[in-house]
Amino acid sequence: LITFSDRRYPTLLKQISDPPLLFYIQGDPDILHLPQLAVVGSRSASNGGLLLGSEFARSLTEAGLIITSGLALGVDGAAHSTAVTLEKPTVAVLGSGLLNLYPRRHQALAKGIVACGGALLSEFPLNAAPLPYHFPRRNRIISGLSAGVLVIEASQRSGSLITARLALEQGREVFALPGALNNPQSHGCHALIREGAQ
């Protein structure tokens, strides 16, 4: 358990307007102080989106950045999995309690994250269920820990767009990957680019 006054509390996260007063962590809290970039995207990403998520995660990890994401299916999982394959740390911020991991099919991935020196963290009680309103709250922590947010694929109503908008409010960089015009999973990225994302 790390509280706001704990010296291990990440400096960048303290700077957002509504930082969590405490959070639970499993893994190495020291990596929260290393440069992080959030990689987020659609839960139902295309094969191309999953491949690009993995490729960007690989390049960013090899460049020395910590990949931070939400352990969700799709792009999040692909980004975390790439870091684990490289045996490098990655940070997963949960929308449920640490003892009620969601999605359940990522239990092995979560173990791999901790084994590779990464961390799982959540501001919710240890057994908290993955309730719908937890995920927008979780997203502010993902962007709050990171210097910037890269959106790989996102529909117009994607939770990834919430993360991108929170990042802008927090003064962080926002990057969006353009995609095929006929792919609905690219429309949110195109909207971000029109609004000024790199």
Side-chain angles (χ1 to χ4, degrees):
L1 176 65
I2 294 180
T3 64
F4 190 81
S5 59
D6 193 309
R7 62 174 180 75
R8 297 170 297 172
Y9 197 101
T11 306
L12 268 185
L13 190 57
K14 278 188 172 183
Q15 296 171 1
I16 71 174
S17 62
D18 56 346
L21 295 179
L22 56 84
F23 60 83
Y24 298 91
I25 184 167
Q26 181 182 0
D28 183 2
D30 290 340
I31 70 163
L32 301 181
H33 296 275
L34 298 176
Q36 297 171 59
L37 189 82
V39 176
V40 298
S42 174
R43 285 181 171 83
S44 54
S46 67
N47 288 335
L50 294 174
L51 180 62
L52 287 166
S54 295
E55 288 180 354
F56 272 92
R58 176 179 295 278
S59 296
L60 294 164
T61 298
E62 289 174 342
L65 290 167
I66 304 293
I67 299 300
T68 299
S69 197
L71 199 70
L73 301 176
V75 170
D76 293 24
H80 289 307
S81 295
T82 299
V84 169
T85 299
L86 294 170
E87 298 185 348
K88 297 288 189 181
T90 178
V91 175
V93 185
L94 308 186
S96 61
L98 290 183
L99 298 181
N100 191 5
L101 194 82
Y102 178 84
R104 295 208 181 279
R105 73 175 80 170
H106 277 171
Q107 298 226 10
L109 175 57
K111 287 179 182 173
I113 289 171
V114 175
C116 289
L120 311 173
L121 67 90
S122 174
E123 70 175 319
F124 303 110
L126 292 174
N127 289 300
L131 301 175
Y133 70 88
H134 285 179
F135 292 92
R137 290 191 57 77
R138 181 247 352 230
N139 292 350
R140 87 190 193 289
I141 298 176
I142 293 173
S143 56
L145 286 167
S146 306
V149 173
L150 168 61
V151 183
I152 299 289
E153 271 190 351
S155 66
Q156 290 279 25
R157 298 179 59 114
S158 171
S160 300
L161 298 188
I162 296 172
T163 310
R165 297 213 163 89
L166 289 165
L168 286 173
E169 290 171 12
Q170 295 164 354
R172 310 294 153 87
E173 294 285 344
V174 176
F175 308 93
L177 196 66
L181 295 177
N182 62 353
N183 178 4
Q185 296 294 353
S186 294
H187 294 171
C189 291
H190 295 158
L192 287 175
I193 292 166
R194 284 195 299 274
E195 292 167 12
Q198 300 297 310

